[in-house]
Amino acid sequence: MQGGFPIDLILFGMVAAFLVLRLRGVLGKRTGFERPPVDQRAAPPAGPRAAESEAPRVAPAAGGPRLVLPDASSPMIQTLTRMQSIDPGFEPNGFMAGAEGAFRMIVEAFAAGDRVTLRSLLSDDTYAGFEGAITQREQANETQRTEIRSIQEMGIEAADLRGTVADVAVRIVSDQVNVTTGGDGLPVAGADAVTEITDVWTFQRDLAVKDPTWRLIGTRSA
């Protein structure tokens, strides 16, 4: 063809623009547990600021663990709404999805002795406790195998806001296999059977800081 702009370049340009928009739509989403990028942290996504009387969205999760969220009239919902007023990107469903992912990562990293992953997701005091247990296990020449077969239920057990520092305690009911073996390969703790375990994990974040990472500050059995 002569004297005209090639039609194939126009088509390629349209396809490229469409793909860019699709990628921005997918990669722009966050749950609140992402690790901040190195040397360049993005600000929280813009969005409408919730009014004090407006409760955050609490629709049940689809295809995941059963979510147990506070009643709309409870003081806990008011606290969650205040958190959302500080960071419009915060909402309970997204937080719970992120908490589930963090739970899986932390449990698996602890079993594997992955200090790097744990360091990025735990507070200083909590990391010291986990690292000490890993060191003790290594010195005893023991190996831990942990498998999370399923997470049955997750619920927000407590929420606290001190200034802009938010604490959210999450009750997690999971089916796990936990076996610790010695250097001879024989089990020294746990059993090769599925056990239901209930934990309460407390996550903390300064909502006024651009770093979106919620760090684990405490664990207990329920």
Side-chain angles (χ1 to χ4, degrees):
M1 180 173 127
Q2 297 179 350
F5 194 83
I7 190 65
D8 55 347
L9 293 182
I10 297 176
L11 293 176
F12 286 143
M14 293 174 63
V15 171
F18 173 77
L19 292 176
V20 168
L21 290 174
R22 289 286 295 171
L23 286 173
R24 288 183 62 186
V26 173
L27 298 178
K29 297 178 181 179
R30 74 174 197 192
T31 63
F33 280 79
E34 294 87 340
R35 301 178 194 177
V38 178
D39 296 331
Q40 185 178 0
R41 295 176 177 178
R49 189 172 296 273
E52 286 297 322
S53 59
E54 179 185 355
R57 291 170 291 167
V58 291
R66 187 172 74 91
L67 298 186
V68 181
L69 298 169
D71 294 332
S73 60
S74 72
M76 210 184 310
I77 279 289
Q78 297 174 14
T79 301
L80 295 174
T81 302
R82 286 165 52 213
M83 292 179 186
Q84 193 177 44
S85 71
I86 298 171
D87 178 7
F90 170 82
E91 56 92 14
N93 280 344
F95 170 84
M96 294 289 271
E100 179 185 354
F103 176 78
R104 292 180 181 275
M105 287 178 64
I106 292 170
V107 168
E108 292 170 2
F110 175 71
D114 181 356
R115 292 175 171 84
V116 174
T117 296
L118 293 174
R119 194 70 192 87
S120 66
L121 296 172
L122 311 181
S123 68
D124 292 343
D125 290 344
T126 306
Y127 174 77
F130 276 56
E131 200 280 332
I134 291 172
T135 298
Q136 183 178 8
R137 191 173 66 211
E138 291 172 343
Q139 291 173 346
N141 196 26
E142 295 175 347
T143 302
Q144 181 168 333
R145 177 171 66 89
T146 297
E147 299 176 13
I148 300 177
R149 296 294 178 85
S150 66
I151 297 180
Q152 300 294 335
E153 180 179 294
M154 295 182 66
I156 296 180
E157 185 122 316
D160 184 48
L161 183 64
R162 301 176 307 284
T164 59
V165 177
D167 292 358
V168 181
V170 182
R171 183 175 181 270
I172 306 169
V173 180
S174 62
D175 291 337
Q176 299 184 27
V177 174
N178 287 282
V179 183
T180 302
T181 56
D184 55 4
L186 297 176
V188 297
D192 196 8
V194 177
T195 304
E196 182 179 281
I197 299 175
T198 302
D199 298 292
V200 177
W201 284 23
T202 301
F203 296 92
Q204 184 179 86
R205 179 185 163 223
D206 187 341
L207 300 174
V209 175
K210 292 182 179 180
D211 181 353
T213 306
W214 289 81
R215 287 183 169 79
L216 181 66
I217 64 169
T219 65
R220 65 179 175 86
S221 299

